[in-house]
Amino acid sequence: MCSTPVSRRTVFRRIAQQRYGDWPAYDSTPLYDRTSLAGLESDIRTVSETWFDHENHHSVEQFVSALPLAYFRFSAHDRYERSTHYQMDTLFRVFVLKELHGWKHETVLVDFLRNRSELREQLGFETIPDQSTLWRSWHQRFTADLRETVETVARTILIKAQNAGVEIPREPVRKLRYHGSESGESKLDNQTPLEQAEKITDHVSRIVFPAFSLDRGGGCEIPENAYWGLQTYLGLRENLAANEGARSFIHESRRDRTPLGHGHRDQIRGLPIEQIRGMYRQAVQQLINELAETEEFFRAGIVAIDITEDDPFTGDRTGHEDEIIGTKEKTDEYAYQWATVQLVGNAVPLVLDARPVRKGESRKEIVEDLLDSAEELVHVDNILMDREFDSQHILEMISQRGLSYVVPKRMQTSEKAQTKRLLQRDQDRYETDRKLHLGKNEWHETTLIYRRKEDSEHDDHRQYSVFMTNCGSGNLTEYGYRWEIESGYRSIKRFMAATTSKDFGLRFFYFAFACLLYSIWRGVDLLVQVDLTGEYEHSPIVTADNTLTLLKRETGIG
């Protein structure tokens, strides 16, 4: 079946109801406008993602003819000054069709249009342009950047259609093209990872950073991108505060106007925490969409949920007792706490979402919130958590979602007694079913797995760890992946700007932006590896410092 007004309305209603992002992109962030090719690419990626999921949409040609383009100003990319017979938006659609089929010459395109009267009508052609007109339009009328956008858009459409099971005219190349690379191919003999990372970082930053917006209104002299540039700059050096960083930023930036430290903090303090989280999720969604166009990234995997602490707070916390809540180890220190959900295992370790932890919030509430975000971004198979999430109500909630889990259990009297029996028998492993009481005669069924630690320094029950799982002992080895989240936290805190402010929103923004820089680094590394070798190995070949330095350039520094 073809698209209809009803099916198109359904698609755009779904887009409007999406949790992350707005469409069109130029209307959702001041970093794009109606002439932005990056915004156009983002919009087509957003629409095609939903379009081909509709049961009536089985044609890439129908998508190209139905795609709304009236909002985009092609005039900025039209090198002809005189009036012409064919409109730029119509030619754009035609050349996307040509690229979809992979045709090298315009003659084949002309024959294709001649044999499809209905498609010609949908495209808005009264007469079919000849081969020479199309050739001149492509080579002389379209700018080089617009030609590159046509190629990028066609590749995106092919991938989204293929992912939805729609028949496509040719196999898409699951390899990205980046500005500054004419062929889009890497030469291993003369292309270093850092050189390739520069192009990819530029590409990724143009996709991710527009998700952030300060809602400042019009007429502002300092470009909004300067604020994100300064925030990235603060992450380049450890313990760099906004005031000192802003002074250095003035000298190192290529910008005419840059924010001062107090102005930067004031803008960020005005952002509600839910807005910060929404922007963060939108940015990660954009990053995932880009990574998903490679065969090495899969929208499925293991996630780890954990809570980390900010540096210990030593000042007066009067009035902030619900936010500066202490430490997980129950010491006499106080600290802000942040919770995250992160991809682990063989997947690229992205931080999918982050949120603050307040006094009085239950661990179950935190896990539910983070899982809601994670499941909108990727398909979650298994959840790994620390023993602070050892709660039968959390485990029951996870099982009710149809998900599996591995969680270490805090040893009570019965578990300690069991480990003593295992010690007497010199038994390394033991598995038993257990029912955990939920209340009102309701129970959660789980499996307890006792495992002796290798080279333990203890000679009592502490030689053993006890895990709870609902997915069998075979998945217990996956718990070893959880160490990655601790490794990730070390890098994230390295990217955080320093501050003594007690403002909860500012503190959380610094942490969330550091999580974004970390995720960009790991995403860039995956794309560099795939581009240079065709494969992805978990150990990064691009360093975090290199990625931040490249991001620094792309945001107007150096």
mmCIF file of all heavy atoms in Angstrom, residues 111-133:
data_model
loop_
_atom_site.group_PDB
_atom_site.id
_atom_site.type_symbol
_atom_site.label_atom_id
_atom_site.label_comp_id
_atom_site.label_asym_id
_atom_site.label_seq_id
_atom_site.Cartn_x
_atom_site.Cartn_y
_atom_site.Cartn_z
ATOM 1 N N ASP A 111 15.336 7.972 -17.806
ATOM 2 C CA ASP A 111 14.522 6.821 -18.230
ATOM 3 C C ASP A 111 13.618 6.342 -17.102
ATOM 4 O O ASP A 111 12.459 5.975 -17.321
ATOM 5 C CB ASP A 111 15.431 5.675 -18.689
ATOM 6 C CG ASP A 111 16.174 6.002 -19.977
ATOM 7 O OD1 ASP A 111 15.701 6.901 -20.706
ATOM 8 O OD2 ASP A 111 17.211 5.371 -20.248
ATOM 9 N N PHE A 112 14.136 6.349 -15.892
ATOM 10 C CA PHE A 112 13.360 5.917 -14.732
ATOM 11 C C PHE A 112 12.135 6.816 -14.544
ATOM 12 O O PHE A 112 11.017 6.337 -14.341
ATOM 13 C CB PHE A 112 14.257 5.951 -13.496
ATOM 14 C CG PHE A 112 13.560 5.606 -12.202
ATOM 15 C CD1 PHE A 112 13.291 4.292 -11.865
ATOM 16 C CD2 PHE A 112 13.184 6.613 -11.320
ATOM 17 C CE1 PHE A 112 12.663 3.978 -10.665
ATOM 18 C CE2 PHE A 112 12.549 6.309 -10.125
ATOM 19 C CZ PHE A 112 12.294 4.990 -9.798
ATOM 20 N N LEU A 113 12.334 8.132 -14.643
ATOM 21 C CA LEU A 113 11.220 9.070 -14.474
ATOM 22 C C LEU A 113 10.226 8.962 -15.625
ATOM 23 O O LEU A 113 9.010 9.090 -15.428
ATOM 24 C CB LEU A 113 11.761 10.498 -14.378
ATOM 25 C CG LEU A 113 12.603 10.831 -13.147
ATOM 26 C CD1 LEU A 113 13.202 12.221 -13.273
ATOM 27 C CD2 LEU A 113 11.774 10.725 -11.874
ATOM 28 N N ARG A 114 10.727 8.724 -16.827
ATOM 29 C CA ARG A 114 9.850 8.636 -17.990
ATOM 30 C C ARG A 114 8.875 7.464 -17.858
ATOM 31 O O ARG A 114 7.733 7.545 -18.338
ATOM 32 C CB ARG A 114 10.707 8.484 -19.252
ATOM 33 C CG ARG A 114 9.895 8.489 -20.548
ATOM 34 C CD ARG A 114 10.798 8.440 -21.759
ATOM 35 N NE ARG A 114 11.547 9.686 -21.909
ATOM 36 C CZ ARG A 114 12.873 9.772 -21.887
ATOM 37 N NH1 ARG A 114 13.614 8.672 -21.702
ATOM 38 N NH2 ARG A 114 13.477 10.929 -22.046
ATOM 39 N N ASN A 115 9.277 6.409 -17.200
ATOM 40 C CA ASN A 115 8.448 5.205 -17.086
ATOM 41 C C ASN A 115 7.563 5.202 -15.845
ATOM 42 O O ASN A 115 6.878 4.220 -15.587
ATOM 43 C CB ASN A 115 9.333 3.951 -17.068
ATOM 44 C CG ASN A 115 10.072 3.748 -18.382
ATOM 45 O OD1 ASN A 115 9.536 4.077 -19.443
ATOM 46 N ND2 ASN A 115 11.288 3.231 -18.310
ATOM 47 N N ARG A 116 7.581 6.293 -15.065
ATOM 48 C CA ARG A 116 6.795 6.337 -13.823
ATOM 49 C C ARG A 116 6.032 7.652 -13.735
ATOM 50 O O ARG A 116 6.466 8.601 -13.072
ATOM 51 C CB ARG A 116 7.693 6.130 -12.605
ATOM 52 C CG ARG A 116 8.157 4.670 -12.468
ATOM 53 C CD ARG A 116 9.304 4.528 -11.497
ATOM 54 N NE ARG A 116 9.630 3.143 -11.272
ATOM 55 C CZ ARG A 116 10.319 2.385 -12.124
ATOM 56 N NH1 ARG A 116 10.741 2.897 -13.262
ATOM 57 N NH2 ARG A 116 10.570 1.105 -11.851
ATOM 58 N N SER A 117 4.920 7.688 -14.407
ATOM 59 C CA SER A 117 4.139 8.919 -14.479
ATOM 60 C C SER A 117 3.594 9.333 -13.116
ATOM 61 O O SER A 117 3.554 10.524 -12.781
ATOM 62 C CB SER A 117 2.987 8.747 -15.474
ATOM 63 O OG SER A 117 2.155 7.655 -15.088
ATOM 64 N N GLU A 118 3.166 8.353 -12.305
ATOM 65 C CA GLU A 118 2.615 8.690 -10.999
ATOM 66 C C GLU A 118 3.684 9.307 -10.093
ATOM 67 O O GLU A 118 3.434 10.292 -9.390
ATOM 68 C CB GLU A 118 2.027 7.441 -10.330
ATOM 69 C CG GLU A 118 1.339 7.734 -9.007
ATOM 70 C CD GLU A 118 0.725 6.477 -8.384
ATOM 71 O OE1 GLU A 118 0.704 5.427 -9.062
ATOM 72 O OE2 GLU A 118 0.275 6.566 -7.230
ATOM 73 N N LEU A 119 4.873 8.732 -10.122
ATOM 74 C CA LEU A 119 5.964 9.270 -9.321
ATOM 75 C C LEU A 119 6.345 10.660 -9.810
ATOM 76 O O LEU A 119 6.615 11.559 -8.994
ATOM 77 C CB LEU A 119 7.183 8.337 -9.378
ATOM 78 C CG LEU A 119 8.415 8.778 -8.591
ATOM 79 C CD1 LEU A 119 8.097 8.931 -7.115
ATOM 80 C CD2 LEU A 119 9.567 7.810 -8.792
ATOM 81 N N ARG A 120 6.369 10.886 -11.126
ATOM 82 C CA ARG A 120 6.669 12.214 -11.677
ATOM 83 C C ARG A 120 5.689 13.246 -11.132
ATOM 84 O O ARG A 120 6.063 14.354 -10.750
ATOM 85 C CB ARG A 120 6.581 12.203 -13.208
ATOM 86 C CG ARG A 120 7.695 11.484 -13.913
ATOM 87 C CD ARG A 120 7.815 11.978 -15.350
ATOM 88 N NE ARG A 120 6.551 11.971 -16.064
ATOM 89 C CZ ARG A 120 6.059 10.959 -16.750
ATOM 90 N NH1 ARG A 120 6.748 9.817 -16.808
ATOM 91 N NH2 ARG A 120 4.909 11.056 -17.392
ATOM 92 N N GLU A 121 4.415 12.863 -11.088
ATOM 93 C CA GLU A 121 3.395 13.783 -10.599
ATOM 94 C C GLU A 121 3.609 14.091 -9.122
ATOM 95 O O GLU A 121 3.484 15.237 -8.686
ATOM 96 C CB GLU A 121 2.011 13.183 -10.832
ATOM 97 C CG GLU A 121 0.861 14.093 -10.408
ATOM 98 C CD GLU A 121 -0.490 13.465 -10.684
ATOM 99 O OE1 GLU A 121 -0.556 12.476 -11.439
ATOM 100 O OE2 GLU A 121 -1.485 13.965 -10.125
ATOM 101 N N GLN A 122 3.948 13.064 -8.348
ATOM 102 C CA GLN A 122 4.188 13.272 -6.917
ATOM 103 C C GLN A 122 5.403 14.161 -6.674
ATOM 104 O O GLN A 122 5.448 14.936 -5.718
ATOM 105 C CB GLN A 122 4.381 11.920 -6.228
ATOM 106 C CG GLN A 122 3.116 11.081 -6.184
ATOM 107 C CD GLN A 122 3.408 9.644 -5.756
ATOM 108 O OE1 GLN A 122 4.557 9.211 -5.725
ATOM 109 N NE2 GLN A 122 2.354 8.900 -5.430
ATOM 110 N N LEU A 123 6.396 14.065 -7.552
ATOM 111 C CA LEU A 123 7.596 14.884 -7.410
ATOM 112 C C LEU A 123 7.378 16.318 -7.879
ATOM 113 O O LEU A 123 8.194 17.192 -7.588
ATOM 114 C CB LEU A 123 8.755 14.255 -8.202
ATOM 115 C CG LEU A 123 9.309 12.940 -7.653
ATOM 116 C CD1 LEU A 123 10.283 12.327 -8.642
ATOM 117 C CD2 LEU A 123 9.978 13.148 -6.308
ATOM 118 N N GLY A 124 6.313 16.553 -8.618
ATOM 119 C CA GLY A 124 6.003 17.907 -9.071
ATOM 120 C C GLY A 124 6.561 18.247 -10.432
ATOM 121 O O GLY A 124 6.709 19.433 -10.764
ATOM 122 N N PHE A 125 6.891 17.243 -11.262
ATOM 123 C CA PHE A 125 7.402 17.488 -12.602
ATOM 124 C C PHE A 125 6.260 17.630 -13.603
ATOM 125 O O PHE A 125 5.445 16.723 -13.752
ATOM 126 C CB PHE A 125 8.306 16.327 -13.061
ATOM 127 C CG PHE A 125 9.689 16.396 -12.521
ATOM 128 C CD1 PHE A 125 10.184 15.380 -11.723
ATOM 129 C CD2 PHE A 125 10.518 17.465 -12.820
ATOM 130 C CE1 PHE A 125 11.473 15.427 -11.232
ATOM 131 C CE2 PHE A 125 11.805 17.528 -12.322
ATOM 132 C CZ PHE A 125 12.290 16.515 -11.526
ATOM 133 N N GLU A 126 6.229 18.766 -14.302
ATOM 134 C CA GLU A 126 5.313 18.901 -15.436
ATOM 135 C C GLU A 126 5.956 18.326 -16.689
ATOM 136 O O GLU A 126 5.294 17.716 -17.527
ATOM 137 C CB GLU A 126 4.937 20.373 -15.638
ATOM 138 C CG GLU A 126 4.147 20.967 -14.476
ATOM 139 C CD GLU A 126 3.809 22.423 -14.716
ATOM 140 O OE1 GLU A 126 4.152 22.943 -15.802
ATOM 141 O OE2 GLU A 126 3.206 23.039 -13.815
ATOM 142 N N THR A 127 7.254 18.552 -16.818
ATOM 143 C CA THR A 127 8.029 17.946 -17.904
ATOM 144 C C THR A 127 9.268 17.307 -17.296
ATOM 145 O O THR A 127 9.753 17.739 -16.233
ATOM 146 C CB THR A 127 8.467 19.000 -18.927
ATOM 147 O OG1 THR A 127 9.279 19.991 -18.275
ATOM 148 C CG2 THR A 127 7.249 19.660 -19.562
ATOM 149 N N ILE A 128 9.787 16.309 -17.979
ATOM 150 C CA ILE A 128 10.964 15.607 -17.473
ATOM 151 C C ILE A 128 12.220 16.352 -17.919
ATOM 152 O O ILE A 128 12.397 16.625 -19.115
ATOM 153 C CB ILE A 128 11.005 14.157 -18.000
ATOM 154 C CG1 ILE A 128 9.740 13.412 -17.592
ATOM 155 C CG2 ILE A 128 12.244 13.440 -17.473
ATOM 156 C CD1 ILE A 128 9.639 12.033 -18.199
ATOM 157 N N PRO A 129 13.104 16.721 -16.993
ATOM 158 C CA PRO A 129 14.346 17.376 -17.410
ATOM 159 C C PRO A 129 15.225 16.428 -18.215
ATOM 160 O O PRO A 129 15.216 15.211 -17.978
ATOM 161 C CB PRO A 129 15.004 17.758 -16.082
ATOM 162 C CG PRO A 129 14.415 16.835 -15.068
ATOM 163 C CD PRO A 129 13.022 16.540 -15.534
ATOM 164 N N ASP A 130 15.956 16.961 -19.182
ATOM 165 C CA ASP A 130 16.833 16.088 -19.961
ATOM 166 C C ASP A 130 18.127 15.837 -19.202
ATOM 167 O O ASP A 130 18.396 16.427 -18.155
ATOM 168 C CB ASP A 130 17.093 16.674 -21.349
ATOM 169 C CG ASP A 130 17.710 18.072 -21.291
ATOM 170 O OD1 ASP A 130 18.412 18.372 -20.298
ATOM 171 O OD2 ASP A 130 17.483 18.850 -22.220
ATOM 172 N N GLN A 131 18.947 14.976 -19.794
ATOM 173 C CA GLN A 131 20.174 14.547 -19.129
ATOM 174 C C GLN A 131 21.112 15.710 -18.867
ATOM 175 O O GLN A 131 21.713 15.836 -17.795
ATOM 176 C CB GLN A 131 20.865 13.478 -19.989
ATOM 177 C CG GLN A 131 22.173 12.954 -19.419
ATOM 178 C CD GLN A 131 23.378 13.768 -19.880
ATOM 179 O OE1 GLN A 131 23.297 14.454 -20.913
ATOM 180 N NE2 GLN A 131 24.457 13.714 -19.118
ATOM 181 N N SER A 132 21.252 16.615 -19.829
ATOM 182 C CA SER A 132 22.194 17.727 -19.670
ATOM 183 C C SER A 132 21.738 18.691 -18.583
ATOM 184 O O SER A 132 22.558 19.242 -17.833
ATOM 185 C CB SER A 132 22.367 18.466 -20.997
ATOM 186 O OG SER A 132 21.128 19.016 -21.428
ATOM 187 N N THR A 133 20.422 18.915 -18.470
ATOM 188 C CA THR A 133 19.903 19.786 -17.414
ATOM 189 C C THR A 133 20.214 19.214 -16.044
ATOM 190 O O THR A 133 20.630 19.940 -15.122
ATOM 191 C CB THR A 133 18.390 19.976 -17.578
ATOM 192 O OG1 THR A 133 18.129 20.597 -18.833
ATOM 193 C CG2 THR A 133 17.822 20.838 -16.466
#
